[in-house]
Amino acid sequence: MIRKFFKNIGPGPLVAAAFIGPGTVTLCTLAGVNFGYALLWALVLSVLATIVLQEMAARLGIVSQKGLSEVIREEIKSPVARGLAIGLMLSAIVVGNAAYEAGNISGGALGVQTLFGNPEIVIGSSNFTVIPFVIGAVAFISLFIGNYKVLEKTLVALVILMSLAFLTTAIITKPNVLEVVKGMLVPKFPDKSILTIIGLIGTTVVPYNLFLHASLAKTKWQSKSDLSYARKDTIIAVILGGLVSMCIIISASAIPHQDISNASDLAKGLEPLFGVNAKYFLSIGLFAAGITSAITAPLAAAFVASGCLGWEANLKSPKFRTVWMSILVLGVIFSSIGFKSIEIIKFAQVANGLLLPIIAGFLLWVMNKRIVLGTYTNSKIQNIFGIIILIITIFLGVKGILSVFNLI
């Protein structure tokens, strides 16, 4: 029974690995430090929304045996609308992930640096930190092998490591279980918390995961009879990812309000209160979060580019490899020299803000097309949940764009 369960673990853990990156860790840290357990309900809402959308993406991939960007290219008939959609997807996912990759690698490096310091090498007049190159090498080897099963096992192992690390950290802090449950079930809006609430939802419901999930689901499963495995895989993995995020909030809630801006500060803050072990576990979790996102971000970008441009979406395809290699190399270089690509990241945030409601809307539309899915279209209840989530994504998209231009 257990053997069969592990055999049918699919892309779900990879999706969880993708949305729990250093940005999520930092945001959950700030949510815990500033608001205690009060915003845990926002993560519960995020998990439910993510399960609904990711299940649709996985079902689309398995039934159609196509990636989401490929379906978009085929189903949008207007050349102008198709061109705009492809341009937006390439901008938001490919360019955006290249910008975010430096953050993923830097986040993973931060976890290692908290424990072992920050060794540097000097080349000419430039200083380069070593750890980003090590993380980049691990990501490169994992992707270059080009074997889905190897990649899957690597990421599942890292997700388990990350989950255990953050769960252990939360347990060490001895949280008030009753207050934790209350925070999960009773929505509260503390003063100045609205942007953090929106951020917690936005960092969990991410557009590139929809592309990643559809592409990986068709790689893992080719038969419609596997849909039940895909559904269980999605639900378990996304809930696990949500629990990891909650554990970070719980851990951060345990320390007195002080000058904490990221997970590295949290690790240092936990040490005097709960011993050096808390710092170790948190740092390991941050490392795992960074390296998993450093692998999945280039992978998602390669799948999107392949679908948009009509290339073969094969892990060993030269064009496919060129995309993820470019993103990974840029991420390593920018991370190692401490380059802050603020304008690129702002552009990516605007593009993602536009893309999320568009992709959620398109996904909902295509999930009701019998020409694509036959008898596997959405049920009424799935459509109701989908429409509610679409409204949320529009709200998130508008907020993201306004915040970039400092209008809120």
Side-chain angles (χ1 to χ4, degrees):
M1 185 76 175
I2 295 174
R3 197 172 175 183
K4 187 178 180 182
F5 171 77
F6 277 104
K7 183 184 175 184
N8 284 291
I9 286 178
L14 280 69
V15 170
F19 75 70
I20 307 170
T24 303
V25 175
T26 299
L27 188 62
C28 290
T29 296
L30 296 175
V33 168
N34 294 324
F35 306 108
Y37 305 142
L39 303 186
L40 286 172
W41 65 269
L43 283 176
V44 174
L45 177 65
S46 304
V47 165
L48 293 173
T50 303
I51 287 172
V52 171
L53 290 179
Q54 296 297 157
E55 187 279 332
M56 289 185 196
R59 184 162 25 114
L60 177 65
I62 294 168
V63 175
S64 70
Q65 282 298 294
K66 295 173 184 175
L68 180 55
S69 53
E70 190 180 351
V71 174
I72 290 174
R73 186 167 52 84
E74 291 177 359
E75 291 302 316
I76 297 179
K77 305 303 180 186
S78 164
V80 175
R82 189 191 306 122
L84 286 172
I86 288 173
L88 187 56
M89 285 187 291
L90 289 173
S91 300
I93 307 297
V94 180
V95 176
N97 282 11
Y100 295 138
E101 183 69 353
N104 293 330
I105 293 170
S106 297
L110 200 60
V112 180
Q113 289 163 13
T114 304
L115 299 176
F116 303 112
N118 189 19
E120 292 185 344
I121 55 173
V122 179
I123 301 176
S125 59
S126 302
N127 288 3
F128 294 88
T129 55
V130 174
I131 296 170
F133 287 95
V134 176
I135 291 174
V138 173
F140 182 90
I141 292 166
S142 301
L143 289 166
F144 190 80
I145 289 170
N147 184 310
Y148 174 74
K149 288 185 178 178
V150 172
L151 184 64
E152 181 183 82
K153 286 176 181 176
T154 302
L155 284 165
V156 167
L158 285 166
V159 168
I160 291 171
L161 175 67
M162 174 171 61
S163 304
L164 290 174
F166 286 127
L167 179 61
T168 305
T169 307
I171 291 170
I172 287 172
T173 63
K174 297 179 182 177
N176 184 321
V177 177
L178 195 62
E179 288 298 314
V180 168
V181 173
K182 191 177 174 183
M184 290 171 62
L185 300 179
V186 181
K188 291 180 182 176
F189 298 85
D191 190 37
K192 297 181 180 178
S193 66
I194 190 66
L195 290 183
T196 306
I197 291 168
I198 294 168
L200 288 171
I201 297 170
T203 196
T204 308
V205 187
V206 290
Y208 89 69
N209 262 348
L210 299 173
F211 294 95
L212 183 65
H213 206 167
S215 296
L216 291 176
K218 75 180 179 65
T219 304
K220 172 74 177 180
W221 295 296
Q222 282 78 46
S223 171
K224 296 178 181 68
S225 61
D226 292 324
L227 282 168
S228 61
Y229 294 125
R231 192 170 290 114
K232 287 175 188 172
D233 175 65
T234 301
I235 292 169
I236 292 169
V238 174
I239 289 175
L240 180 63
L243 287 174
V244 169
S245 297
M246 289 179 197
C247 284
I248 300 166
I249 289 182
I250 291 166
S251 301
S253 302
I255 60 176
H257 188 87
Q258 51 184 283
D259 188 21
I260 289 177
S261 60
N262 58 47
S264 181
D265 292 340
L266 175 60
K268 292 168 187 171
L270 287 173
E271 185 177 358
L273 289 172
F274 305 106
V276 72
N277 288 337
K279 181 180 83 169
Y280 287 143
F281 284 117
L282 194 71
S283 298
I284 290 167
L286 183 58
F287 163 74
I291 201 166
T292 50
S293 294
I295 293 171
T296 52
L299 185 64
F303 276 125
V304 170
S306 298
C308 286
L309 302 173
W311 300 343
E312 181 187 8
N314 185 308
L315 293 175
K316 293 184 178 180
S317 160
K319 290 179 180 177
F320 189 91
R321 280 179 166 170
T322 299
V323 176
W324 68 251
M325 280 182 188
S326 301
I327 287 170
L328 183 58
V329 168
L330 285 172
V332 170
I333 293 171
F334 289 160
S335 175
S336 64
I337 62 175
F339 178 74
K340 304 290 184 185
S341 48
I342 296 299
E343 293 307 316
I344 301 173
I345 289 174
K346 280 187 176 180
F347 168 76
Q349 286 175 331
V350 172
N352 270 311
L354 288 168
L355 187 66
L356 181 57
I358 290 171
I359 295 303
F362 178 84
L363 185 62
L364 197 57
W365 171 63
V366 84
M367 294 308 293
N368 286 281
K369 293 195 74 170
R370 287 191 175 272
I371 194 169
V372 177
L373 290 159
T375 58
Y376 295 94
T377 52
N378 274 356
S379 64
K380 284 184 181 178
I381 191 73
Q382 285 171 323
N383 280 330
I384 290 169
F385 280 126
I387 290 168
I388 293 170
I389 294 165
L390 179 60
I391 293 168
I392 293 170
T393 62
I394 291 170
F395 179 62
L396 287 173
V398 171
K399 173 264 163 188
I401 294 165
L402 291 177
S403 65
V404 165
F405 294 108
N406 297 316
L407 297 175
I408 58 171

